[in-house]
Structures are given as C-alpha cells and as structure tokens.
Amino acid sequence: METLWLMPALACYVISAMIFVASRFFGRTRASGWATMLLGAGVVLHALDLTARGLQAGTIPVANFAESLSFLAWLTALAGLMIIVRRQMAVIGAYIASAVALALAVSAVMMHGARLVIPETLRSAWMPVHVTLAILGYSMFVLAASTSIVYLVCESRLKTKRAIATPDDPVPSLEKLDRINYSLLAWGFSLLSFAIISGAIWADATWGHFWSWEPVESWSLAIWIMYAGLLESRLTAGWRGRRAAALTIVVFVVLIGSFVGINLMYPGKHGGSFG
Amino acid sequence: MDQSLFILGVNHRTAPVAIRERLAYADAEVVAALERLRRRARALSEAAILSTCNRVEIIGVAPDVAGAFDDAAAFVAEDRNAALKAFAPSLYRLEGRDAARHLFRVGASLDSMVLGEPQILGQMKIAYARAAEAGTVGLVLHRAFHRAFTAAKRIRKATLIGHGSVSVSSAAASLAGRIFDTLSDKTVMMLGAGKMAEMTARQLKSKPIKSLVISSRTFDHAAVLARELGGIAVPFEDYRPHLKSADIVIGSVASTRPIVGPEEFEAVIKERRYRPIFLIDLGVPRNFDERLNRLENVYLYDIDDLGQVVHKSQAEREREAARAEEIVELELESFWRWMNGLDLVPTIRDIRYSIDRLRDLEMGRHRGWLKGLAPDERERIDLLTRGLTNKLLHRILQGLRKSGNSAEGAYTAEVARKLLCDELGVSSDELDALEDSTADAIADDDRADREDLRPDIGDQIGKK
C-alpha cells in the first residue's frame, strides 16, 4: 500500500540528518535548530502515514518486516526528538536522524510487494500492546546506542586533549551523556520485559502455551539477559562511562543482527504465518 | 562650526598601572568630574569619561581640537592632582576618523588587554550614561557611542572573538564542564596551595560546589586559604583518605617526583566505583604520573595541556580580530558619512516616519465619524491628508538639501529630526526597527518627490 506521506516524511528525515551532520562538521550550532524542526516535521508526516496504514488494516500497521521497521523508525524519531528538545541533546541528532532515515528508506524499498494480512486468529487486544512495547523498547536501545557513540567520541577527545579545539562547542558533559544512557537502558529493559510477558500471555491465549522457543523468542530472551547484565554491572560493579558505552554499542549490534537476521532468515515464524 | 571628535587618554599599552591608577575615576566621581570639565574646558562642546582598569580616556567634541587637547590634558592634571609632565608622554591624542575608530575598537574589545573580554562594552555604556546624566552628551557623542555599541554587538554576533578560555584557570573550569554536568555534588581537592591552584579553585567555586578540601605542606597556609574560600584544611600526611571522595584534584605541590602514581590510584578508582575524576596538574615538576591519564574515567591535564587550550583560544581570537576589524571599518564608514553630513538618509527616514505616524494618529482619532462616510469620501479624505503630509515633508527635505552635504546640514537635519520625533513621542526603539531599511528609505524618498510634484491629488479633490 502506498500513502502520500511516506516520501515527504523520508525527505524530511534525510534533510534533517544532512543538516545535523553538517552542523557537527562545520560547528554551525544554530543550524541544528532547523534540523530539529525538520525531524519534527518528519515525525508528523510519518505519523500520518502510519495512521493511514493503521486505519486500512484495522489495527497497528506491523503486518510485515517493512512495516515493523517503519514503526520502529517513527518511535525512535519521536523519542529522539523529545530527548533532543528537552535535554538539549542536539548532538545526538546526527545519529538519530541518520538511523531513522536509513530505517525508513529500507522500509520504503521493502514495502513494495504483496501485502500480508494479519490472520484472524491473531487479532487480539494483546497484539498492539505486545508489538508497541517491543518496538518502543527497541527504540530506546537505538537511542542508548547513539548516546553511547557520542559518549565515546567526546571521551576520546578529552583523553587525547583534542577537546580543546572547540572549547565553546555546546557538547553535553560526559556525566550527562552517561546518565541519559543509563536511563534509556533502564527504560528499554523495562519495556522489553513487559513485551516478553505480554507476548507470553498472548501466546497462551492463542495457542495454549506461553513459550515455544522459536527464534524471536529465544533471541529476545538472550538480548534481555544481555541488557540485564549491562544494568547489573553498573549497579553492582560500578561499570560506567566508557565501558558502559562500549558495551551498550556491542549489545545493540547483537540486537540489530538478530532483528534483521531473524526477519530475513525465518520470515513468518514469529506468531505464525505472517511476518 | 565644524565639530570634530577627539580622544585623549592613556591605556595599558601606553602607561604603567602607576599612572593609570593615578588618573582613574571611580564611577561615582564621573558625573561631578564632567561638570567640572565643562566649566573648566570651555573649548569642549561635548565630553564623556571612560575610566577602567586598563584605560582612562576623555572622549570629546570640539570645534578647535588642538585647543581642546590642551584644555582636557590640563584639566586631567589639575583634577587628578598629577603633574602633567609625569603622564604627558603616555597620552595619546586622536582626532576625527582615528578617534572614532579608536572608540569603536575599544567598544568591540579589540583594544583590551585580554582580546575579546566582555566587560568593556558594559563599562562604555556606563560611561555614556554618566555623560548623559552630566548633560555633556550632544548629537555627535550620542551618535558615536551608539554606533560603537552597534558595532560591538555585531562583532560579538558575527565573530568568535569572545570564545574560548584565555587563562589557565578558566580553561580548567571549562574542561570540568565537559566532564561533569554540575559541580554542586562534586568535591574539589587542592594538593598544595599555589597561586595558580588557588585561582583555579576560585574559578571552579564561582558555581556552587559540594565541598573543598585543601591540603598543603604548610598546614597554616592551607588553613588560611580554607577559611578564605570556605573549605576544610587537611594536614598533608592525611590527604590520601580524602582522595577517593574528590572529583577534581588540583595539584600544585613542589615535589621532585610525582606524588600520586598509577598503582595506588587504581585502588582509588575502584573505591570510587569508576566515577570520573579530573586531575589538574599545575605542578612543575608534575605532581601526577602521566600514566594516570590512561586509567578508566580519569582525565589528567597538566600545565602544558592547559596552556595549549589557552594558546589555541588566543590564536582563535586573534584570527577573529581580523574579521572584527573589517566590521569596525564598515561601521566607521557609515558613521563618518554621517559626521560629514553626507548621510542624510537615516535622518530623512526618521522624519518621514514621524510625519506618517502623525497622520495615522489623527486618522485614528477620527475613525468614528470617518466610518460613517461613503467609501469615496473616505478615500478623498485619505488623499487630502496624505497630500498635506507630503507637502510638509517636501518642504523640510528641500530645506535640508539646500543646506547641503555639510556638517551644518547634518546638524540642521538632526535638530529637525529631534524636534519632530521627540515631539511625536516616537521612541528610538521604533526608529531602530527601521534601521536596516536605509535602501528603502532612499527609494521612498525618490518616490515621495515624484508624488509630491504630481498635481493630481489637489486636482482630484477640486474636481469632486
């Protein structure tokens, strides 16, 4: 299905990403205000696209990988926008907007093709809850990874004494980046936990068993354990700063690998016949 | 009566502090001094005194500049009770365009001891306000100061002249801001109580910090400083237990080898649970082993690293200064055109605005019964009033043009502007809002001339 809004939304994201990257590169901090506004415009247009799809499907539009990816991109853009505006974190804009633009572009390319309809048996009130929790959780991990990249860049500049090149560059402090990373991880972890629980309840209601060890379930559990370990190490061993940032990125790479890999290798396994 | 701008003064380059402090005026003395100056130096028609740590200047306007220089210099000697001979070699005398350029450069902090420092603009604004209070500001100083303020603001906005840290202590503080979000829950520790360490601690303390621990080889010294800065003094033998709670450590101990090495510090880091720590090493020889920088979440900057920050900022400011000078020249050009009466455009624009405002006000007052008229009648009244104001404006403009492109012309225009604008209560803010429309003003003026020569307005009314 094609909607009017997808391409304009993608254009907004792409231009926003380009301005964000350019403003970092040339040190023109005022330009990032425009980039933020474009990101916001992209979120609005993208929301219209999702609404149109949702109205047509009669439920949230996540019938295939392309649509799930689009939904993930939207939630990431929305949450990213909130962090950029409310926490004055324009510096992560370059990563967020690029990731969102890339995800939506991939989604748009894959969107062509036969549309799968969600089977009647799976239509349940649990579906939007489970899917939204899971994808919102993933979006938190995207943001946490972006924040961690910024952390590592800033940290290495400070260590190697190159931070001094632009002393008035409004880069957030390491402490702030670390704190934001932590709260994003905590949110992402909680959402993922609830997503797994709600998925299990839904599976029980539909098929009569909570857990069937299919790939998405297994990988979700593995990722859940990794994030649990990440949070645990911070709380007990005091792993913070560089180490925490590096691990956040590593776990995120595993997450992306499984998200993409499973959807390409085992399409249609998770939840039955669609996917 | 050609008026000329002049500046007589001493600054940090021409005079040592011994002379500058002798001649300096406290802010509270300036108004009285200007009043004395007006009585004493009759050759001056306008005057202001700018007195800061780095300069004492009399900025004045006089028809005879040579006489004004002598009068002003004699006044300063007398008023400050200093022998003219003692400071005469340090005095600079600038007039005309050079004086204006100097004023603009001072305001833009291009003549400051620390290039780009922000205080000078505020000091200059106060100097202007004091002169206005003393009643020694006239048309020329009013314009000169305001153009200097505008130039300074433009330069702040368009260049990076005020950016970066230009002292070791501010460089350290700005680096602390890149590591920590806030210092209000951080402990600062001073090992050694050297002068530069003290300045750095003061700089960090300019925003709230949780606590300050001072330890020095001479305990008394640490205790005195702790009392002064509001911290706690710790004997030098006992500082180690405090190390784990310190987030920023400033080292300035005289020691032939590092007082803190990586092995023992690793234990401290673990105890701190890897919370970041910022080590500022101001000691020569260095207090902290350079390998500490390789430890996780430890950021070590020694005196050379900080010096490099300062050096880069200074180099950056100097690069920016070249761009700032260009802006000064542009602003100077526009001011100079006005000084020479070449530039009547802003004045004409202001007068036009005021007269249009007057018409609008009157039309507004009669809006009630005008509404009751037929549309064509209303239009005629509109044309009639516009015709009147255009005629009035034309008279004034012709008069101004006749007085020509001379300084006197500019004066006449300024007086006309003052009378009209002030009488009509047009605020200078409103006029500033028109500031950028100079080109439009010229175009408007030409169009107005053409309209004015058109007889049809009167004819139309007559016919109907």
Side-chain angles (χ1 to χ4, degrees), chain A residues 216-229:
Chain A
V216 172
E217 284 175 4
S218 311
W219 275 104
S220 296
L221 189 64
I223 283 158
W224 184 85
I225 291 168
M226 281 188 239
Y227 277 114

Side-chain angles (χ1 to χ4, degrees), chain A residues 151 155 158-159 161 163-164 166-169 171 173-176 179 234-238 240 242-243, chain B residues 163-164 175 177-182 186 273-275 293 295-301 305 309 313:
Chain A
Y151 185 97
E155 211 259 356
L158 269 167
K159 275 275 189 200
K161 282 133 201 190
I164 49 194
T166 49
D168 278 299
D169 194 11
V171 167
S173 63
L174 294 183
E175 191 184 20
K176 183 178 178 183
R179 206 173 45 223
R234 176 188 289 266
L235 293 173
T236 56
R240 65 181 81 226
R242 207 167 78 90
R243 206 179 292 196
Chain B
H163 280 228
L175 283 165
R178 313 202 103 199
I179 299 168
F180 305 114
D181 204 27
T182 166
K186 304 294 184 299
R273 296 164 55 81
Y274 299 100
R275 273 182 292 123
N293 193 45
L295 296 176
E296 201 168 323
N297 298 345
V298 177
Y299 306 93
L300 168 63
Y301 277 72
D305 299 330
V309 177
S313 299

